[in-house]
Amino acid sequence: MGAIYSGEYRCLEIFAKSEDGKKSTVLVVGPSGKASVYPAGKWQYRLIKIPLEKNCGYEVRLENCTASICYLSEADDILDRGVCFLEYSDGNWRKTDNLKEWYQTPNREQYHFCPYKNWINDPNGLCWYRGYYHMYYQANPHSQEWGHMYWGHAASRDCVHWVHLPFVLMPQEEILNAKDRKGGAFSGSAVVLEDRIRFYLTRHFGPPDDSEEETVQYQTMVESEDGIHFGEEKTIVEKPNSDFSFNFRDPKVIRYDNCWQMVIGTRIKNVPSIVRYTSSDGENWKYGGVVLEEKTEGVYTFECPDIFPLSSEMVLTGAWMFYADEQRRFQPTYYYLGNYRNGRFEIRDRGLYDFAGNFYAAQSFEHEGRRIAIGWISDFYQEHCPEENGAYGSMAIPRELFMENQRLYIRPIKEIYRLKGKCYCNVERQNVRLKHLNNNSYYARLTFSANADFEILLGKSEVGEIRLVRKSETLQIVTTGVKSHYVQFVTELKELRELEIFVDRRTVEVFANNGECAGTKLFYGERDGIFEAEFEKEDAAEKIEVYEMKGIWR
């Protein structure tokens, strides 16, 4: 048997599944010598929660089953301590006491939020509650591929340094008990009340291949007093009629115009639409009609909508599923600016949330006067490079949204700059060539006295490169040797005054002119970082600074 010492924790959580579909168990022997047996999932992984006494030793054996993720939970200071992950090999358990060391792989981000391992996608339930930022997210804890959806959970005091917390939502029982069903806990949002958090989310259930006849999506509500332990979940909204596709998901709830309002992404009579529901108490909802239709050819449906006031305008955002634009960017997220009257959105302007190809499903929340958004760093071009105990997916740097010049501006939250470490470079009006940058995690800031074309090499691999290119009045991320090489990740930018670049292993994020545009791109390059900037006119680059970025894991 493998030995586990509980320390300050009072619970062991194990996702376990039978190896051959037959009876399988997790056997636990406590300090008194008494043995307890817990059944594993037959066809799917099932979460087993085993109560422990603090500061005691246990023997834990997996009998005819495998475990995906295991951790110790239920500590008094869990929001600061986080869970303690365990790895099982050859009958022995090993604690992952040093996450900084665990994340030191060629590809894993160092200062972006990334799961302990395996798959994550959309951020959900973003909020500030009782001194902590909470981020929930869709996850498949069992592999580096999409699968049945769970909600993972992380918390932070500064929205930069995160701790991992227990999974909070599981797939439905009819999915866990079946071999041929698909679904689980899809995306949703959170509303902070005086003494609890109320969550709204989509449940998905259907066959492996979605169909209008069999696939069902519906909205549920669940509450939590501490953000960790959830109450009973109940269904609150189902699609109104057969005009609606089964694509009916991702509720975002806000308090606006003296009532609770929920927006949902859907497709009505083959038209991608965002619809709304209203409620006086946040529990009983009434359909309120279509908020916005998108008739651009090629958009299949809306998903992951968001709506919020910002300055004197309303902002509505939505992800365009299955759409490829003229530059061949796939599934972009768009924002709309305008007025929101009588349940309809009157568009004044619209634009890309992010001009590159790996930013999706953004969700925002308000805290102390700031509108903060987090998006999923997606991989629609299938460029992921698997590695042992690796992770598919991460989250973009939290971004502050604000209005300027009647446009939506997007900049990194100020807290991220606290991670700046040693200075690699601080020069003026010259080309720069930096190689072997430690850990390939760095930050660069450039200011310009005049418009000038340039190319900045940000990453290399054996077969390709990633560059940031300024040409005439455009800014473009250019990749070679990768599956997305044919895509133009480009934005119009008449004047370039300031440029910020965040490189974090496989992730590149670019921000121009204090948030006038943002771009996020994946690139799997060499372990050592590189920054080579060559300007058409050297004196146009007024100042160039490059800094190491410290990691967020301990």
Side-chain angles (χ1 to χ4, degrees):
M1 280 195 183
I4 289 175
Y5 182 71
S6 61
E8 295 299 312
Y9 296 96
R10 300 186 300 274
C11 186
L12 171 63
E13 304 193 25
I14 301 177
F15 287 98
K17 182 181 75 168
S18 169
E19 292 179 338
D20 53 15
K22 297 179 181 178
K23 184 178 180 180
S24 56
T25 60
V26 176
L27 177 66
V28 180
V29 179
S32 67
K34 181 181 178 181
S36 300
V37 176
Y38 300 86
K42 183 177 181 180
W43 304 117
Q44 312 293 342
Y45 282 96
R46 183 173 293 277
L47 178 60
I48 301 169
K49 294 188 178 184
I50 303 166
L52 307 176
E53 295 181 24
K54 290 171 60 174
N55 300 310
C56 289
Y58 291 81
E59 296 292 327
V60 181
R61 185 170 69 201
L62 304 181
E63 298 187 326
N64 195 36
C65 64
T66 59
S68 57
I69 285 185
C70 313
Y71 51 82
L72 296 167
S73 63
E74 298 293 345
D76 292 337
D77 58 348
I78 191 72
L79 289 172
D80 292 310
R81 179 187 296 266
V83 301
C84 178
F85 289 103
L86 303 166
E87 292 295 313
Y88 186 75
S89 178
D90 297 326
N92 296 310
W93 293 95
R94 176 178 59 85
K95 286 185 178 180
T96 308
D97 291 321
N98 188 334
L99 285 179
K100 181 178 181 180
E101 181 179 298
W102 177 264
Y103 277 83
Q104 278 290 356
T105 75
N107 299 325
R108 299 290 292 272
E109 291 88 347
Q110 301 299 292
Y111 59 91
H112 289 72
F113 177 82
C114 191
Y116 175 71
K117 62 181 176 181
N118 296 329
W119 171 284
I120 67 167
N121 55 295
D122 306 359
N124 296 312
L126 304 179
C127 63
W128 166 270
Y129 182 65
R130 294 183 175 176
Y132 296 87
Y133 294 96
H134 289 265
M135 176 170 60
Y136 303 84
Y137 51 88
Q138 282 192 49
N140 173 16
H142 317 310
S143 76
Q144 294 176 49
E145 299 177 332
W146 191 93
H148 301 317
M149 284 291 99
Y150 299 70
W151 269 28
H153 182 200
S156 172
R157 286 190 178 273
D158 62 1
C159 213
V160 172
H161 296 85
W162 298 90
V163 299
H164 296 289
L165 294 171
F167 286 81
V168 294
L169 293 174
M170 310 298 140
Q172 301 92 298
E173 281 295 317
E174 56 264 47
I175 292 173
L176 295 177
N177 291 329
K179 294 177 64 176
D180 59 351
R181 297 290 93 181
K182 181 180 78 173
F186 278 25
S187 290
S189 58
V191 170
V192 174
L193 304 176
E194 184 176 350
D195 59 350
R196 63 196 185 281
I197 311 173
R198 180 177 287 164
F199 299 91
Y200 301 90
L201 66 140
T202 296
R203 284 285 175 178
H204 177 110
F205 179 78
D209 296 322
D210 289 329
S211 70
E212 292 292 347
E213 294 74 26
E214 294 185 74
T215 302
V216 178
Q217 294 183 345
Y218 55 95
Q219 321 313 316
T220 67
M221 185 189 84
V222 62
E223 294 184 339
S224 173
E225 294 181 359
D226 60 7
I228 297 173
H229 304 92
F230 280 39
E232 183 179 354
E233 190 175 341
K234 63 179 182 179
T235 300
I236 55 170
V237 170
E238 298 175 289
K239 72 175 188 178
N241 54 57
S242 60
D243 289 342
F244 287 69
S245 164
F246 74 84
N247 297 283
F248 182 69
R249 58 182 173 270
D250 310 335
K252 177 61 186 289
V253 176
I254 62 169
R255 182 76 180 179
Y256 185 75
D257 207 15
N258 296 318
C259 70
W260 294 106
Q261 303 210 26
M262 174 193 295
V263 291
I264 294 173
T266 188
R267 177 178 172 89
I268 306 174
K269 294 183 177 179
N270 296 323
V271 178
S273 305
I274 294 175
V275 299
R276 76 161 185 161
Y277 283 75
T278 60
S279 173
S280 60
D281 58 9
E283 297 187 46
N284 299 285
W285 294 87
K286 180 180 179 181
Y287 180 61
V290 175
V291 174
L292 181 143
E293 295 178 325
E294 181 53 66
K295 296 186 178 180
T296 299
E297 185 177 352
V299 183
Y300 172 63
T301 190
F302 269 115
E303 56 183 359
C304 306
D306 193 3
I307 189 168
F308 51 89
L310 197 62
S311 297
S312 59
E313 292 208 68
M314 287 295 287
V315 182
L316 181 65
T317 72
W320 290 13
M321 192 174 180
F322 296 163
Y323 175 76
D325 65 14
E326 292 181 354
Q327 290 73 36
R328 304 181 77 176
R329 288 174 290 207
F330 188 64
Q331 295 203 164
T333 298
Y334 269 82
Y335 67 81
Y336 303 83
L337 306 178
N339 295 313
Y340 182 49
R341 295 193 180 101
N342 300 318
R344 291 285 296 183
F345 197 92
E346 301 169 357
I347 302 172
R348 178 184 64 78
D349 194 11
R350 75 177 186 183
L352 282 171
Y353 217 128
D354 188 287
F355 71 84
N358 298 113
F359 183 87
Y360 199 72
Q363 186 178 119
S364 73
F365 66 105
E366 192 274 337
H367 176 58
E368 293 186 342
R370 290 194 298 175
R371 173 61 55 172
I372 298 172
I374 299 178
W376 169 46
I377 300 176
S378 59
D379 179 33
F380 298 132
Y381 305 101
Q382 299 181 343
E383 294 174 336
H384 174 64
C385 295
E387 57 184 3
E388 185 178 3
N389 292 321
Y392 184 119
S394 55
M395 298 302 176
I397 294 170
R399 302 176 177 188
E400 182 181 356
L401 310 180
F402 61 102
M403 295 296 299
E404 188 168 306
N405 302 322
Q406 292 190 306
R407 293 183 56 186
L408 180 66
Y409 272 57
I410 302 168
R411 65 188 175 199
I413 59 170
K414 60 185 179 182
E415 289 87 345
I416 197 69
Y417 301 103
R418 298 173 188 167
L419 299 179
K420 286 168 57 179
K422 67 179 181 181
C423 181
Y424 290 125
C425 170
N426 190 339
V427 299
E428 299 176 359
R429 306 181 188 281
Q430 60 182 274
N431 294 330
V432 172
R433 287 178 173 81
L434 300 174
K435 296 182 178 180
H436 308 297
L437 298 180
N438 185 40
N439 283 327
N440 195 20
S441 294
Y442 65 85
Y443 162 75
R445 182 175 183 271
L446 299 85
T447 55
F448 301 90
S449 58
N451 270 330
D453 291 352
F454 60 75
E455 289 194 9
I456 304 175
L457 178 63
L458 299 173
K460 293 180 66 176
S461 70
E462 292 182 356
V463 296
E465 297 179 342
I466 181 169
R467 293 177 180 269
L468 185 65
V469 178
R470 170 69 167 169
K471 189 172 183 180
S472 299
E473 295 184 348
T474 64
L475 186 67
Q476 184 171 1
I477 295 174
V478 178
T479 56
T480 58
V482 296
K483 292 181 179 179
S484 60
H485 69 91
Y486 62 90
V487 185
Q488 293 181 296
F489 304 111
V490 63
T491 185
E492 293 183 5
L493 197 65
K494 292 184 178 181
E495 182 181 0
L496 181 58
R497 304 178 301 278
E498 178 204 39
L499 185 63
E500 292 183 281
I501 304 167
F502 294 85
V503 174
D504 192 8
R505 300 279 167 92
R506 61 184 174 186
T507 292
V508 173
E509 289 192 77
V510 175
F511 300 86
N513 295 343
N514 192 35
E516 186 175 341
C517 64
T520 306
K521 185 70 187 77
L522 285 173
F523 180 81
Y524 288 80
E526 297 173 351
R527 184 67 174 260
D528 286 341
I530 189 169
F531 179 89
E532 295 186 357
E534 185 170 342
F535 303 92
E536 182 186 52
K537 301 175 183 177
E538 289 188 18
D539 59 355
E542 195 171 71
K543 192 171 186 179
I544 307 167
E545 304 167 82
V546 183
Y547 296 89
E548 179 186 28
M549 287 291 277
K550 293 176 284 188
I552 63 174
W553 306 107
R554 64 177 190 269

